[in-house]
Amino acid sequence: MNHHGADPAPGQATGKDATALRALLYDPEAPQGLRLGEAPEPVPHDAQALVEVHTASLNFGELAYREERARPGQVLGWDSAGIVVQAATDGSGPAVGTRVVSFGPPGAWAERRAVDTAELAVVPDAVDLGAASALPGAGVSALQALRRLGPVIGRRVLITGASGGLGRFAVQLAALAGAYVIAAVGSPRRGEGLRELGADEVVVGLEHVTAPVFGVLDNVGGPLLAEAFALVEPGGSAQSIGKASLEPTTIDFERERLTGGDRRLEPFAVRSPFGPDLTYLVSLLAKGRLDPQIGWRGSWERAPEAVAALLGRRVRGKAVLDIGG
C-alpha cells in the first residue's frame, strides 16, 4: 500500500482548462497537512468508472508518511464509497447509479474519483456507504495477510496493534476462520470491545504470552515485532503489515536459529485487484458478520481533527469522512 505520489494519479486530468471539483489537498502549511480546495476533474480511462464520492476512510499508513510521499496540491486518500456517475467505456464494471466501494491510488478525498473497475465492489442498499468505505485498505489487507498464514482453524494467532482499524478487522476475520485469537494492544482502554469481536485473549504487551503461536499479524513493528516473531512455533510465520511505532526492527537471527529456525518472517504487501476481496467483505457486512468499527465520523471539513485523532491513537477502529455538503 505504498503510493508515492510523484506523478499525477491515473485518470486525473492535469490541463489548465480542466473543470475543477472540491477536494482535500495536501498542504504542508495547513493543519495536519490538509486543506479543502479545488482539483482537476478526473478523466477516466476505458476500464475506469467515474464515481461520485459520498464517504471516505482514513488509513494510518497514508497519513503517517504523507510528508515524504505526497506533493503539495495532491488529492490524497485510497478508500472511498459512492455512486457510479459514468460507467467504464470498455463495458466492465457496474452501470450508472450503482453504489460502490473502491480502492485506488491517491484521489479518494474528492467529490469525484476515477477508479479501475477491478478495484471496486457493488454495495447493497442495506449497507451504509460509510461502513463500506472503511473496508478497502484495512479490511482487504487484514484478509490477505490472514490468508498468508495458511489454515488457522484451531491455531493460535497473535495480532499486534489489534485496536486499530486493520487490527480490528484482523481480529474478526481470524475468529471467523476458527483461530484462537490473541489481541495485543498498548493499553487496557485500547483493548475495549475486542473480546466482543472474537478475541479469546486481550493482552497489553507480550509479556504474558508465553505459549507459542502459529501466526502473527503485526501492525506495530519496532521491538514488538521482534518479540512477536520469537513466539512463532515451527512451521508458522509472522506477517509484518505495518509500522505504527515508526521504529525499525532488529532481530537476532542467530538466537532465533538456536530456538528453532523453521519459521518465516515476511514483509506483507497488499495485492490488487481488490474487487473480489471487497465483494467478499461487503457480503460479510450485509450479513452482519463483520463490524467496520467506525470510531470517528464527521464532515470532511473536520478532516484535520480526524487525522490528529487517528495519528494520536485516539480512534478505536476506523475514521470516516462524509464528503461534500
Side-chain angles (χ1 to χ4, degrees), residues 2 6 9 29 46 69 71 84 105 113 158 160 164 187 194 204-205 218 276 287 298 305 318:
N2 295 337
E29 305 302 319
D46 290 347
R69 295 177 181 172
R71 67 182 187 281
V84 175
R113 80 179 303 192
L158 169 64
T160 69
S187 69
L194 289 175
V204 177
D218 175 66
K287 296 172 185 175
E305 175 188 333
K318 294 288 294 181

Side-chain angles (χ1 to χ4, degrees), residues 292-304:
Q293 292 285 284
I294 297 173
W296 190 101
R297 184 168 181 175
S299 167
W300 66 342
E301 294 179 354
R302 296 170 58 198

Side-chain angles (χ1 to χ4, degrees), residues 101-103 116-122 135-136 139-140 143-144 147 271-284:
V101 57
S102 64
F103 175 86
D116 293 352
T117 55
E119 308 293 347
L120 56 76
V122 174
L135 293 175
V140 172
L143 178 63
Q144 292 187 7
R147 287 196 190 119
R271 297 179 180 179
S272 292
F274 273 50
D277 287 339
L278 277 175
T279 298
Y280 171 66
L281 294 176
V282 168
S283 74
L284 292 180

